[in-house]
Amino acid sequence: MAREKNKPNEETKVPKAVVNRLSLYLRELQRSVRNGRETISSSQLGNILGITDAQVRKDFTWFGQFGYPGIGYRCQELIGEIRKILGTNRIWPVALVGCGNLGSALLGYRGFGEQGFSVVLAFDSNPELIGKRIGDLPIRELSNLKSDLSSRDVLMAILAVPATAAQEVADRLIEAGITGILNFAPVTLSVPERVSIAEVDLAIELEQLSFAVVKQLGKS
Amino acid sequence: MAREKNKPNEETKVPKAVVNRLSLYLRELQRSVRNGRETISSSQLGNILGITDAQVRKDFTWFGQFGYPGIGYRCQELIGEIRKILGTNRIWPVALVGCGNLGSALLGYRGFGEQGFSVVLAFDSNPELIGKRIGDLPIRELSNLKSDLSSRDVLMAILAVPATAAQEVADRLIEAGITGILNFAPVTLSVPERVSIAEVDLAIELEQLSFAVVKQLGKS
DNA sequence: TAGATTGTTAATCGATTAACAATC
DNA sequence: TAGATTGTTAATCGATTAACAATC
């Protein structure tokens, strides 16, 4: 067990970049455990991720003291602590909205389950799809949103609808009680402050790559 | 036309965050044009994205002078400039490696085409899949990698294989001449400096959301 | 001209890193 | 104990913002 906690994450807001690295640490720690490793030092962890040991230690400082001087961090224990911090020390029920190509693929994505997320509801607006199943989940009408979500205590949704529909559907999700949206539609959603957005724009990822590739090309 | 260029992107390295915002600007500008807008100011652009007008202008400063005092930016023109900077003022042929659930969905993703990317090759290691088609692309053996890629001048690849295979496949891609990899496998790839990686870890995105949702929950 | 908005400099803010006493 | 490595402070570095002359 970690020995104590300094800051019960209260006023001081943790930088986004720190929380993101927490997920990377978690991923590496899980891999280390699979490889039979018991402890790991900040410099080992940093090396793998391409950051300094100081940064690794500083990041954890936001949440408590998890290490052992002279030894490092106990992998299993640190995994537990990070999951507690991220809130993934439980299983989150998640709703999928938009059951097209991408949505269907996401429904089957095994990585979600491995990290504690379970897609328990699927919605679409296309009448032809309603009632059909993806895997063993029936596709539901959007009109059922509110009752379905609340009966299953769903707070997070994956939004995989066309860009043109995204804002409107997001509004309905929020109205139905959703407070976290993973948005795959290439639009900037406008949402109330209490609602969080994570965004994945696949084309933008390729654009970033394009920039880097062109730059590299210029060097030769 | 923009009037001039200060810095022919040479020594001074452009921050990653800036390049990422470039893609967001582009997305908003394209939407503005679809809505019939002709010009846009840095404060309008900033408002939509939740950043300051100063930041918008500063970002562009890295690449040249694209605006008109008193008027703002001409949308169509700025779109052209950003595409030039990102290198998407042409069509990039892209290879898909890993034709499972996610890979197949990505192959059909319309957003790629809209931004100038075309998936022209698909590979998988599963012998049962070789020769089958997704859409109208035949799935090829990995052993054809090198010759296929070079005959099509492919420099970028989308990696959608299981985590356990990702590093090995990445090595083969690089050996075959790929210099940009969009990685969907939840592992930190180790690659030579000349190769660029963009990473999308879907579970991590949900974890970030989880953190935010839990924090919000604590407030009520 | 008056009003709007740029490009850019300097000031501020925040994040990363170096260094080291504390500790296992 | 000697060696390793933490947690944390202070120094550095880099990114964001405010302010304003230049300009359409």
Side-chain angles (χ1 to χ4, degrees):
Chain A
M1 291 288 295
R3 275 144 293 140
E4 52 175 312
K5 296 243 166 101
N6 289 352
K7 321 187 180 180
N9 172 25
E10 11 112 29
E11 281 317 309
T12 39
K13 187 155 110 290
V14 182
K16 228 179 183 159
V18 172
V19 183
N20 197 72
R21 284 194 295 269
L22 240 36
S23 280
L24 297 175
Y25 299 148
L26 176 58
R27 200 173 72 179
E28 273 317 308
L29 286 162
Q30 289 170 329
R31 193 173 67 104
S32 296
V33 164
R34 276 198 304 274
N35 294 343
R37 164 163 280 196
E38 305 229 314
T39 67
I40 194 167
S41 70
S42 55
S43 60
Q44 290 170 321
L45 206 39
N47 276 340
I48 300 170
L49 300 175
I51 60 184
T52 63
D53 56 327
Q55 176 144 80
V56 174
R57 296 196 300 279
K58 186 79 197 303
D59 282 350
F60 291 137
T61 293
W62 285 90
F63 307 101
Q65 301 185 135
F66 306 128
Y68 301 88
I71 293 168
Y73 300 88
R74 303 202 199 287
C75 298
Q76 283 289 16
E77 177 189 319
L78 189 52
I79 287 173
E81 295 293 343
I82 296 178
R83 296 192 89 135
K84 255 192 263 172
I85 295 165
L86 292 175
T88 56
N89 55 340
R90 70 197 276 324
I91 293 176
W92 283 96
V94 176
L96 170 71
V97 186
C99 299
N101 254 337
L102 185 60
S104 305
L106 294 172
L107 209 150
Y109 184 63
R110 303 195 79 244
F112 288 149
E114 286 163 16
Q115 296 306 325
F117 301 96
S118 172
V119 181
V120 299
L121 286 168
F123 297 90
D124 204 288
S125 66
N126 180 350
E128 310 224 329
L129 289 180
I130 307 299
K132 292 198 172 158
R133 285 166 181 274
I134 323 181
D136 49 1
L137 263 197
I139 301 178
R140 304 273 294 164
E141 270 190 77
L142 271 169
S143 54
N144 299 312
L145 207 54
K146 201 159 192 170
S147 57
D148 283 1
L149 293 181
S150 65
S151 73
R152 301 287 234 124
D153 273 316
V154 175
L155 293 177
M156 294 177 21
I158 299 171
L159 188 55
V161 303
T164 45
Q167 181 65 57
E168 193 209 315
V169 175
D171 291 343
R172 294 183 66 176
L173 288 171
I174 292 164
E175 145 76 11
I178 288 290
T179 56
I181 298 176
L182 174 48
N183 176 35
F184 285 89
V187 275
T188 301
L189 297 177
S190 138
V191 301
E193 213 192 342
R194 68 168 196 289
V195 176
S196 302
I197 303 286
E199 198 188 292
V200 176
D201 185 320
L202 300 169
I204 284 184
E205 298 301 329
L206 282 187
E207 283 171 6
Q208 301 297 299
L209 224 38
S210 166
F211 178 84
V213 168
V214 166
K215 196 176 57 183
Q216 177 62 32
L217 232 43
K219 284 185 190 162
S220 59
Chain B
M1 288 292 292
R3 273 142 295 142
E4 51 176 312
K5 297 242 166 102
N6 289 352
K7 320 187 180 179
N9 174 26
E10 11 111 30
E11 282 317 308
T12 40
K13 187 157 111 293
V14 183
K16 228 181 184 159
V18 171
V19 183
N20 197 72
R21 284 195 295 269
L22 240 36
S23 280
L24 296 176
Y25 299 147
L26 176 57
R27 200 173 74 178
E28 274 316 308
L29 286 163
Q30 289 170 328
R31 194 172 66 104
S32 295
V33 164
R34 277 198 304 274
N35 294 342
R37 164 163 277 195
E38 306 228 313
T39 67
I40 194 167
S41 70
S42 55
S43 60
Q44 290 170 321
L45 205 40
N47 277 339
I48 299 170
L49 300 175
I51 60 184
T52 63
D53 56 327
Q55 177 143 82
V56 173
R57 296 197 299 279
K58 186 79 194 304
D59 282 348
F60 291 137
T61 294
W62 286 90
F63 307 99
Q65 301 184 136
F66 308 129
Y68 301 88
I71 292 167
Y73 301 87
R74 305 202 198 285
C75 298
Q76 283 289 17
E77 177 188 318
L78 189 52
I79 287 173
E81 295 293 344
I82 295 178
R83 297 192 88 135
K84 254 191 266 173
I85 295 165
L86 292 175
T88 57
N89 55 340
R90 70 199 274 326
I91 293 177
W92 283 96
V94 176
L96 170 71
V97 186
C99 300
N101 254 337
L102 186 61
S104 305
L106 293 172
L107 208 150
Y109 185 63
R110 303 195 79 242
F112 288 149
E114 286 162 16
Q115 297 305 324
F117 301 96
S118 172
V119 181
V120 299
L121 285 169
F123 297 90
D124 204 287
S125 65
N126 180 349
E128 311 225 328
L129 289 180
I130 308 299
K132 293 199 172 160
R133 286 168 179 270
I134 324 181
D136 50 1
L137 264 197
I139 301 179
R140 303 274 294 165
E141 271 191 76
L142 271 168
S143 55
N144 299 313
L145 208 53
K146 201 159 192 169
S147 57
D148 283 1
L149 292 180
S150 66
S151 73
R152 301 287 233 122
D153 272 317
V154 176
L155 293 178
M156 296 179 17
I158 299 172
L159 187 56
V161 303
T164 45
Q167 181 64 58
E168 194 209 314
V169 176
D171 291 343
R172 295 184 65 176
L173 288 170
I174 293 163
E175 146 75 10
I178 288 291
T179 56
I181 297 176
L182 174 48
N183 174 35
F184 285 90
V187 277
T188 302
L189 295 177
S190 137
V191 302
E193 214 191 342
R194 68 169 196 288
V195 176
S196 302
I197 302 285
E199 197 189 291
V200 176
D201 185 320
L202 300 168
I204 284 184
E205 298 300 327
L206 282 187
E207 284 172 4
Q208 301 297 299
L209 223 39
S210 166
F211 178 83
V213 167
V214 166
K215 196 175 59 180
Q216 177 62 32
L217 233 42
K219 284 186 189 161
S220 59

